[in-house]
Amino acid sequence: MYYKGVYHLFYQHNPTAATFGDGIVWGHSVSYDLINWIHLNNAIEPSEAYDIISCWSGSATILLDGKPVIMYTGIDHNRHQVQNLAMPKNLSDPFLREWVKHTQNPVIIPSEVAEVDNFRDPSTAWHGKDGKWRIIIGAQKGDQGRAILYQSEDFVNWKLEDANPFYATDNTGVCECPDFYPVSINGTNGVDSSVESSSVRHVAKVGYLRMAHDYYFVGKYLSDEERFIADAKFTGTSLDLRYDYGKFYASKSFFDYAKNRRILWGWVNESDSEKDDIEKGWAGVQSIPRQVWLDNKSGNRLVQWPIEEVEKLRSKNISINGEKLRGGSILEVSGITASQADIEVLFEIPELENAESFDLSDVDPQLLCSNAPRSGIIGPFGLLALASKDLREHTAISFRVYKTSNKFVGLMCSDQSRSSLQNGLDKTTYGTFFDVDSNVRTISLRSLIDHSIIESFGEGGRVCISSRVYPKLATGNEAHLYVFNNGTMSILISKLNAWCMKEAEIGHVKNMSYKTC
């Protein structure tokens, strides 16, 4: 959340181990720019009967009087999941270091609409035209995943007004970390969570624990009927929209009042073993914060882009312009520290009409990325990130273009199969489809590389893939970055810019110098 000039990140943390278990707390860090962070003491810890086992996830809401409040899920002494409130002890403290639990906790307990052990993660609240606050809570009943709507006039006494779920999907298991917010139909600015007007659409997002993916649905919110009508129903196929088609889960958005934008965070967990996590003493990272807005061109999907503040970490720059990549060629982007880099590249496809014809109906893009021939007509082309000099290690972020009966379709892949010589890693290859504009004939890619994580944004952020990789050879100064084209048709690097990235300030004190790359 943003409060009086300071950004606050609360996160799930196990202070005693690099694994999940009982005793989960709310870690707390603050920032002035969402990039450099100061760690504070834990905000919420297990202490009462209603949260004695763990303090699980939840959300912050800024009330009408400007005061922040947190609603979180407590695992009580019976291991039931209940919802609790916490407020800042001292509102004059800009860091809000201390939080006090409400005397009426728990304020919501599971009813017949949810199972007692699958009722969690309350959303940020929105304020309706009738003066009532509303939240949704993730739940499960039988095998149906649910987001359940509750209402309150004072944020303390909450009522279930309708036994029918606000959102539900059959045969999915529990919905986690639900989110619900408006997006403007014009421009990239965000809007407050309570905005209702003809100038916005709404986004409902749920995470399915069974699949460990976050899915979102764009649609219409009928507040008078307490209904959300999504443009498309969940199908369990590649047609469903996801924030990110790689590792990205339990995400949360908030409205940034300072810059009128909606910011999205995502948890990117590890792809190594629990033993590895225990040895290194930590597990899981947050993605770079992303600004999110409605794709005004389509009107039915979102665009995500790293917040502008990350560019403050850019250092040495390398540029390549107008370079032709013939089929089977590879070009090194040298002169930067490739293990810690930001790359933006625009590929031009001169002969788009020569794309291979392919019937993509009922095709899983992730399987296609794994099983497609090494060489096609247009692609694969893209980046080889965190690559060793001999290319025995590399992660390929690539594109292919296909021609269907009525349009051109791109396939974006992130291939981790050769990312490391280390065994025992999850080296899943990720992929997704997107439409290619035949009038533009270009495809863009931006990748943020930071040692064990690669966040990639295709087509201006219309498709995103994050991956965790653990190279043994391609580390530090031994990491290399290449542009490649394995297709038979030539591709033009219209423009490429790569920056070495400085390290952000992360610590317990304010004034630390930047580490250079």
Side-chain angles (χ1 to χ4, degrees):
M1 70 176 184
Y2 178 81
Y3 179 72
K4 290 187 176 179
V6 179
Y7 295 100
H8 294 256
L9 171 65
F10 303 97
Y11 55 94
Q12 295 282 270
H13 175 50
N14 184 348
T16 62
T19 56
F20 184 74
D22 292 341
I24 299 297
V25 306
W26 274 48
H28 186 193
S29 296
V30 293
S31 172
Y32 294 105
D33 60 6
L34 289 168
I35 297 297
N36 305 290
W37 292 88
I38 303 167
H39 290 311
L40 303 177
N41 292 335
N42 297 328
I44 306 174
E45 298 178 332
S47 64
E48 309 296 332
Y50 51 77
D51 66 4
I52 196 64
I53 302 297
S54 272
C55 299
W56 278 11
S57 191
S59 300
T61 298
I62 306 296
L63 300 180
L64 298 181
D65 60 5
K67 296 177 182 178
V69 61
I70 284 171
M71 184 181 287
Y72 69 98
T73 299
I75 311 301
D76 72 9
H77 61 291
N78 293 317
R79 290 194 173 271
H80 293 178
Q81 296 174 13
V82 299
Q83 315 313 319
N84 307 304
L85 297 177
M87 294 74 61
K89 183 177 182 179
N90 179 9
L91 287 169
S92 64
D93 173 14
F95 286 179
L96 303 177
R97 291 174 175 87
E98 295 183 77
W99 291 76
V100 179
K101 298 174 185 178
H102 201 282
T103 55
Q104 288 183 225
N105 284 342
V107 294
I108 307 176
I109 60 175
S111 65
E112 71 281 355
V113 299
E115 297 168 357
V116 295
D117 57 349
N118 282 306
F119 181 65
R120 54 184 176 266
D121 311 333
S123 71
T124 292
W126 67 96
H127 196 253
K129 297 175 182 177
D130 58 1
K132 294 181 181 179
W133 289 100
R134 290 159 172 81
I135 59 165
I136 52 175
I137 299 175
Q140 177 177 332
K141 184 71 172 180
D143 204 32
Q144 185 184 68
R146 295 179 163 190
I148 302 172
L149 180 75
Y150 284 82
Q151 299 181 9
S152 174
E153 295 181 358
D154 59 5
F155 221 90
V156 176
N157 298 284
W158 292 87
K159 293 181 180 179
L160 176 69
E161 297 288 350
D162 190 342
N164 294 314
F166 186 70
Y167 174 82
T169 48
D170 294 329
N171 305 313
T172 57
V174 65
C175 288
E176 291 193 309
C177 300
D179 204 1
F180 188 67
Y181 55 90
V183 286
S184 174
I185 61 175
N186 296 303
T188 61
N189 280 352
V191 292
D192 180 85
S193 298
S194 298
V195 169
E196 289 182 49
S197 73
S198 59
S199 64
V200 302
R201 305 197 77 205
H202 275 76
V203 176
K205 172 247 133 179
V206 294
Y208 292 116
L209 177 61
R210 189 174 294 172
M211 292 163 266
H213 297 316
D214 278 355
Y215 293 86
Y216 73 87
F217 307 86
V218 180
K220 186 174 184 179
Y221 174 43
L222 303 176
S223 58
D224 294 340
E225 304 174 27
E226 299 297 2
R227 282 200 304 146
F228 172 71
I229 303 175
D231 292 345
K233 293 184 178 181
F234 180 73
T235 66
T237 71
S238 61
L239 297 175
D240 299 319
L241 295 174
R242 287 164 52 185
Y243 284 148
D244 193 297
Y245 293 85
K247 277 188 173 285
F248 190 92
Y249 188 61
S251 59
K252 185 75 189 75
S253 76
F254 74 98
F255 179 59
D256 177 5
Y257 297 89
K259 294 192 173 183
N260 286 320
R261 57 186 176 174
R262 183 155 291 272
I263 303 295
L264 175 69
W265 290 92
W267 170 53
V268 186
N269 68 339
E270 304 298 314
S271 292
D272 58 2
S273 68
E274 185 175 287
K275 180 176 178 290
D276 292 327
D277 296 340
I278 292 171
E279 287 181 0
K280 67 176 181 273
W282 61 273
V285 298
Q286 292 290 327
S287 67
I288 294 292
R290 303 173 180 182
Q291 184 174 353
V292 58
W293 64 91
L294 185 68
D295 180 6
N296 301 134
K297 186 160 59 173
S298 69
N300 57 15
R301 67 184 305 151
L302 299 176
V303 177
Q304 301 163 71
W305 199 247
I307 57 170
E308 61 184 2
E309 288 88 341
V310 75
E311 296 171 16
K312 295 195 302 184
L313 299 179
R314 287 174 172 174
S315 180
K316 185 178 180 182
N317 170 246
I318 298 294
S319 297
I320 300 173
N321 296 300
E323 184 82 22
K324 191 174 185 178
L325 270 182
R326 299 187 184 278
S329 64
I330 185 171
L331 174 68
E332 182 167 11
V333 181
S334 56
I336 61 168
T337 304
S339 58
Q340 201 165 294
D342 183 359
I343 306 98
E344 292 191 51
V345 57
L346 181 66
F347 296 103
E348 188 175 326
I349 309 168
E351 301 175 72
L352 186 63
E353 58 277 355
N354 290 325
E356 57 195 289
S357 298
F358 200 58
D359 181 6
L360 296 175
S361 57
D362 300 322
V363 174
D364 184 330
Q366 184 163 316
L367 292 178
L368 185 58
C369 285
S370 301
N371 301 323
R374 182 178 181 275
S375 178
I377 297 177
I378 302 179
F381 61 88
L383 298 176
L384 299 180
L386 294 174
S388 59
K389 188 68 176 175
D390 59 8
L391 294 182
R392 284 197 296 160
E393 286 185 341
H394 64 263
T395 297
I397 305 101
S398 66
F399 300 101
R400 293 175 184 254
V401 178
Y402 298 101
K403 181 166 53 179
T404 66
S405 59
N406 60 350
K407 61 180 179 179
F408 294 95
V409 175
L411 174 68
M412 180 179 176
C413 304
S414 181
D415 182 358
Q416 286 71 241
S417 62
R418 300 182 66 183
S419 61
S420 176
L421 298 179
Q422 181 178 335
N423 295 319
L425 303 177
D426 175 8
K427 299 179 183 179
T428 301
T429 292
Y430 308 121
T432 185
F433 292 126
F434 61 95
D435 290 341
V436 175
D437 189 337
S438 59
N439 295 316
V440 177
R441 295 173 177 261
T442 60
I443 294 176
S444 69
L445 173 64
R446 182 178 183 185
S447 291
L448 298 171
I449 303 167
D450 193 9
H451 298 275
S452 73
I453 182 170
I454 303 171
E455 294 186 61
S456 295
F457 303 81
E459 271 301 85
R462 289 173 178 83
V463 282
C464 309
I465 300 179
S466 298
S467 59
R468 300 298 306 278
V469 295
Y470 308 89
K472 305 298 288 184
L473 304 176
T475 61
N477 292 329
E478 297 303 315
H480 298 264
L481 175 68
Y482 300 91
V483 192
F484 76 98
N485 177 19
N486 283 343
T488 58
M489 303 296 297
S490 294
I491 298 294
L492 183 69
I493 302 174
S494 180
K495 57 181 177 180
L496 180 150
N497 279 289
W499 294 268
C500 179
M501 299 295 279
K502 296 177 289 189
E503 290 185 12
E505 299 178 9
I506 308 291
H508 295 271
V509 293
K510 294 182 185 178
N511 300 314
M512 296 180 294
S513 61
Y514 282 113
K515 295 181 181 178
T516 58
C517 51

